[in-house]
Amino acid sequence: MRRTLSGLSPRRLRLWLAVFFVALAVPTALLIAHAYGQLKWEAFHQYRQMAEELGDRIRTALDERLGTEEARGFADYGFLVAAGDPSANFVQRSPLADFPLSIDLPGAIGYFQVDAEGDFSTPLLPPTGTDAEAFGINGAELRQRVQLATRIHSILGRNRLVRATGGRGLDEEAETASEASMGKVQATDEVRVPGTAPVVTSAASIAPEVTVSGQAVFDQLNRAAAPGEPGRQRKAAKTLGRVEDLRLDQQFEADAVERKSPRTVVSQAEQAASREVRKELSALPQAVPAAPPSLAASPAVADEAAAKRRIHVFESEIDPFEFSRLESGHFVLFRKVWRDGQRYVQGLLIDQQAFLKGMIEQAFRATALSQMSDLIAAFQGDVVGAFSGGTARELYSSASDLRGDLLYQTRMGAPFGDLQLIFSINRLPATLGGAIVTWLAVVLALILCGGFFLLYRLGLGQIRLARQQQDFVSAVSHELKTPLTSIRMYGEMLREGWAPEEKKREYYDYIHDESERLTRLINNVLQLARMTRNNIEASLKPVSAGELMNTVRSKIDTRVERAGFTLRLDCPDDVASATVNADRDYFTQIVINLIDNAIKFSTKAKRPAIDLGCHRQRDGSVVFTVRDYGPGIPRDQMKKIFRLFYRSESELTRETLGTGIGLALVSQMVAAMDGKVDVVNVDPGAEFRFSLPGTAGG
């Protein structure tokens, strides 16, 4: 492994790590993307289920209101209905004759009936010629009833569902007065779509293309347009556009359609089966000839009219209700009734936007769907309402403004089947699982990036260490070979008697010095071995600074003198008496390494001298200094020189010998004695300083 690292360059290391990183990152990213996609699908189906439930609730609410209307009899659309046994000849006001209206259907304007001749009537008004006060209706309420009846008649008239004029209880003068006083019956009508300006339509703008009117127009309301025939709905009041113009992405819907719930289909089938033509027996009071106006208020005349009133019981056949949208933009819920061979149309006129707001928008706003989706209401393909989700309500002016992913679309049950709800996603909120996946992705990314960065730094360090160890082996071999060669050469000369008598002493000293040099080198190597095994344990004992200086002096005097240097000691008496905790062997080896280092790097100094000193700091510690007068140390190498195997010069330019472990051992041994080591440049030379902590009594 180490051999492999020594042959690996940093560039190749980065390349291999990059390949390894990609090999791990790509599958991880794919797994996270797949998990996120699955969670997104789950969230989509969760909200789709909410949309289905909302659609079911709206459908159920419509069915409940429809059931209420279906339960009404034919006679309820008159002002008076027979109560109890018809033979009792007792009549009362119809439940549809209440005013104000109490209809549990948002947007309901009022009930109406159109007979076979196209004449309009409403349960709001008492029979013609009767005294309204006799039924508890005062003058003010009667005017309001007339105004509302006029409004209903006007809307139906503009849509050609009744004759343009006439109608029981409504003459031209009354209509004009009612419209003027209420301001509700106007020549124009407004159709408001959320987020849009009111669309004003006029009776002139919806001029009929055909001359049919009255009940014939009811027959055409829900008739599908023949091929080539302009669709009737094209002439309806302005809408946001067609459903086909919506810019909705159906990617999610395509998958969800396959999972369409059969429950809805069954429900619609059951509902269709339950809506069949029914027959009923109705009791309707016959009209009594009107009394002269001068006698109409007389109680006697009223009692006589009541006595003349007869209850007529008859059978009628009632079709299921139909639901349609008029050209004016109003909705109409109506049914056809056959009685005595004549057809009647009975129904309820509904304001479109009030209906959509009350039946659909309120239910939509009450759900979490409104926070992330839009709801579009369409009738026969025309977009008639758009409710923006989210906190910021957007304004839509056309169907092309409605964008997003299609979440769910459904139709209401019969007879509201032409009413379609379309849910689209604006923003799919992150689920708890999505948040967890996101955080896991972030954590994995940090771990991968951080791990590979640390791995790169570790590999780079190992490459550097392997090369330094190679350099160390080379340097140690050279350091060992040089003194051994000298010792062998001088030893042979002395053994063979080739050395002159006056040179023998010099040769013995040389052998001794080289032996000392080998000893120091071997000691450093052994110390390095202990250091690499983390086996450095100093034997700290209290000892005075003076004793340490004297101990080391005897070991370095000869070395310094033979190197041609002058050793100068400077340790004041007050400092020499200070006691520190130190390991004598460590201290000696530290000073010897620093002296050797000073000699090696200042051989060419103008002043061949080495200063060994000590001084005391305020905290009681003693600082020992070793100074040379050489070139000093470059600033950028002051921290590096204490690294293991570091040598300041390159292999090509190196002029000094060394193994690169001397200063590293100094740093380790000082640290083992709880001291600190540093180096500073002085002029000239460099000064190494290491401090040892003082004892409590010193």
Side-chain angles (χ1 to χ4, degrees):
M1 180 67 181
R2 183 160 298 175
R3 180 178 300 177
T4 303
L5 288 174
S6 63
L8 193 64
S9 65
R11 183 174 178 276
R12 289 180 62 85
L13 176 64
R14 289 194 294 270
L15 179 62
W16 280 111
L17 289 179
V19 172
F20 191 39
F21 179 84
V22 172
L24 285 179
V26 171
T28 304
L30 291 177
L31 285 176
I32 292 174
H34 180 72
Y36 196 80
Q38 286 296 112
L39 291 174
K40 188 176 181 181
W41 273 105
E42 290 179 4
F44 171 82
H45 287 294
Q46 177 184 352
Y47 282 101
R48 177 184 169 84
Q49 186 176 3
M50 293 175 62
E52 290 179 355
E53 293 174 355
L54 177 58
D56 289 344
R57 287 203 301 272
I58 296 175
R59 187 181 297 108
T60 301
L62 285 174
D63 291 343
E64 291 175 352
R65 286 159 177 79
L66 176 66
T68 302
E69 299 304 324
E70 293 273 16
R72 301 191 190 284
F74 172 84
D76 290 342
Y77 284 78
F79 181 79
L80 295 175
V81 295
D85 187 359
S87 60
N89 202 27
F90 180 74
V91 295
Q92 63 181 13
R93 287 167 54 174
S94 167
L96 306 185
D98 292 342
F99 188 87
L101 300 177
S102 57
I103 307 174
D104 188 21
L105 185 66
I109 298 175
Y111 292 97
F112 65 90
Q113 175 176 284
V114 179
D115 61 18
E117 286 74 28
D119 289 335
F120 166 84
S121 65
T122 174
L124 291 171
L125 299 179
T128 305
T130 58
D131 183 11
E133 292 185 355
F135 301 104
I137 302 174
N138 57 32
E141 180 180 336
L142 179 60
R143 283 193 297 273
Q144 294 178 8
R145 287 173 175 261
V146 170
Q147 289 166 355
L148 180 56
T150 303
R151 181 188 176 194
I152 298 171
H153 179 268
S154 175
I155 295 172
L156 296 177
R158 281 187 287 138
N159 291 277
R160 294 170 287 109
L161 298 175
V162 296
R163 291 197 301 185
T165 59
R168 188 171 57 184
L170 295 175
D171 55 23
E172 293 288 341
E173 186 176 353
E175 289 181 20
T176 305
S178 298
E179 293 175 5
S181 62
M182 290 294 291
K184 294 182 179 178
V185 181
Q186 303 170 357
T188 60
D189 196 17
E190 293 183 351
V191 178
R192 181 180 294 277
V193 178
T196 67
V199 178
V200 180
T201 61
S202 64
S205 65
I206 54 175
E209 294 182 352
V210 293
T211 57
V212 295
S213 62
Q215 292 187 357
V217 179
F218 280 102
D219 295 336
Q220 297 179 356
L221 285 179
N222 291 327
R223 180 176 64 83
E229 178 186 356
R232 183 192 52 76
Q233 60 273 27
R234 300 292 184 189
K235 299 182 295 184
K238 184 177 180 181
T239 64
L240 290 177
R242 298 285 299 170
V243 172
E244 299 81 22
D245 300 331
L246 300 175
R247 298 184 178 181
L248 300 181
D249 188 350
Q250 301 190 18
Q251 176 187 357
F252 293 120
E253 177 69 5
D255 177 72
V257 166
E258 299 178 358
R259 308 180 185 182
K260 185 176 181 180
S261 171
R263 178 169 54 87
T264 302
V265 178
V266 173
S267 175
Q268 291 178 357
E270 293 175 348
Q271 189 180 42
S274 64
R275 299 186 68 253
E276 295 178 349
V277 177
R278 65 183 171 91
K279 294 181 179 180
E280 71 169 18
L281 286 177
S282 302
L284 190 67
Q286 291 181 335
V288 177
S294 58
L295 302 176
S298 172
V301 173
D303 293 340
E304 182 181 358
K308 294 180 180 178
R309 181 180 294 118
R310 294 290 181 268
I311 304 299
H312 176 59
V313 178
F314 57 91
E315 183 182 70
S316 58
E317 188 173 279
I318 303 175
D319 284 356
F321 268 102
E322 299 179 47
F323 185 75
S324 185
R325 181 168 175 260
L326 304 179
E327 294 176 356
S328 61
H330 295 84
F331 286 134
V332 59
L333 182 67
F334 65 98
R335 66 183 180 183
K336 299 164 187 174
V337 182
W338 277 263
R339 171 199 165 193
D340 298 334
Q342 292 189 337
R343 188 176 72 168
Y344 296 82
V345 176
Q346 297 177 329
L348 176 63
L349 194 61
I350 304 169
D351 180 82
Q352 172 182 286
Q353 294 308 312
F355 173 79
L356 295 178
K357 183 176 181 180
M359 290 300 304
I360 298 175
E361 183 180 8
Q362 289 184 359
F364 173 65
R365 300 291 183 203
T367 65
L369 285 171
S370 61
Q371 302 300 318
M372 44 69 69
S373 68
D374 287 341
L375 174 57
I376 301 166
F379 189 84
Q380 293 181 343
D382 290 329
V383 178
V384 295
F387 310 109
S388 173
T391 54
R393 303 290 187 239
E394 297 185 20
L395 301 179
Y396 300 120
S397 58
S398 67
S400 59
D401 294 339
L402 298 166
R403 303 182 182 185
D405 293 322
L406 179 60
L407 177 65
Y408 176 64
Q409 56 182 341
T410 184
R411 290 183 179 274
M412 299 295 100
F416 306 99
D418 288 334
L419 184 60
Q420 185 179 8
L421 301 182
I422 303 173
F423 297 84
S424 63
I425 301 176
N426 286 330
R427 175 185 55 84
L428 195 60
T431 61
L432 177 60
I436 294 175
V437 170
T438 301
W439 277 108
L440 284 177
V442 172
V443 171
L444 282 176
L446 292 176
I447 291 175
L448 277 177
C449 294
F452 274 89
F453 176 74
L454 294 177
L455 196 60
Y456 172 71
R457 294 292 301 269
L458 179 62
L460 204 61
Q462 290 298 317
I463 291 174
R464 186 183 300 112
L465 182 61
R467 292 183 176 177
Q468 289 174 342
Q469 287 178 337
Q470 287 181 342
D471 293 343
F472 168 73
V473 172
S474 176
V476 168
S477 300
H478 182 74
E479 290 284 319
L480 290 173
K481 185 177 180 180
T482 301
L484 285 175
T485 302
S486 300
I487 292 172
R488 180 180 178 183
M489 180 184 70
Y490 287 110
E492 289 180 355
M493 291 175 65
L494 291 172
R495 186 188 65 184
E496 299 296 334
W498 296 339
E501 197 63 32
E502 65 275 11
K503 289 290 186 179
K504 287 184 178 178
R505 179 65 184 177
E506 180 181 352
Y507 293 166
Y508 286 131
D509 292 341
Y510 199 88
I511 291 173
H512 178 268
D513 293 342
E514 291 301 304
S515 300
E516 289 290 332
R517 179 181 169 186
L518 279 175
T519 301
R520 292 193 298 272
L521 177 60
I522 292 171
N523 288 338
N524 281 340
V525 173
L526 293 175
Q527 192 65 37
L528 172 65
R530 290 193 290 270
M531 185 179 70
T532 53
R533 294 195 302 268
N534 295 323
N535 196 22
I536 295 182
E537 293 183 2
S539 177
L540 300 179
K541 294 180 181 178
V543 59
S544 66
E547 293 180 37
L548 292 174
M549 294 292 283
N550 292 332
T551 300
V552 77
R553 180 176 183 178
S554 61
K555 298 182 179 296
I556 61 175
D557 273 346
T558 305
R559 163 69 174 152
V560 173
E561 182 181 354
R562 292 188 182 280
F565 282 74
T566 303
L567 179 64
R568 187 167 65 91
L569 297 177
D570 181 15
C571 189
D573 294 339
D574 58 332
V575 181
S577 62
T579 304
V580 296
N581 284 321
D583 185 310
R584 289 176 179 269
D585 295 335
Y586 277 19
F587 181 86
T588 302
Q589 191 165 354
I590 290 170
V591 174
I592 290 175
N593 285 353
L594 293 178
I595 293 293
D596 282 346
N597 187 73
I599 291 173
K600 282 190 292 186
F601 289 94
S602 61
T603 54
K604 298 180 180 180
K606 295 180 179 179
R607 182 181 176 184
I610 295 174
D611 295 341
L612 175 61
C614 61
H615 62 270
R616 194 169 188 180
Q617 293 184 320
R618 293 181 178 178
D619 59 357
S621 62
V622 178
V623 177
F624 299 90
T625 60
V626 177
R627 178 191 175 183
D628 61 55
Y629 293 85
I633 302 172
R635 184 178 297 275
D636 60 339
Q637 297 184 11
M638 285 189 168
K639 297 297 182 184
K640 299 178 182 177
I641 59 176
F642 292 104
R643 295 178 183 173
L644 188 61
F645 305 131
Y646 180 80
R647 290 192 291 178
S648 59
E649 299 165 332
S650 66
E651 293 292 336
L652 298 177
T653 61
R654 184 171 296 124
E655 297 180 353
T656 57
L657 299 176
T659 59
I661 63 174
L663 293 180
L665 289 176
V666 168
S667 177
Q668 293 289 331
M669 288 186 289
V670 170
M673 292 189 293
D674 300 329
K676 296 179 181 178
V677 64
D678 196 6
V679 61
V680 295
N681 282 324
V682 292
D683 189 20
E687 182 177 271
F688 286 84
R689 303 168 178 173
F690 65 96
S691 63
L692 297 178
T695 60

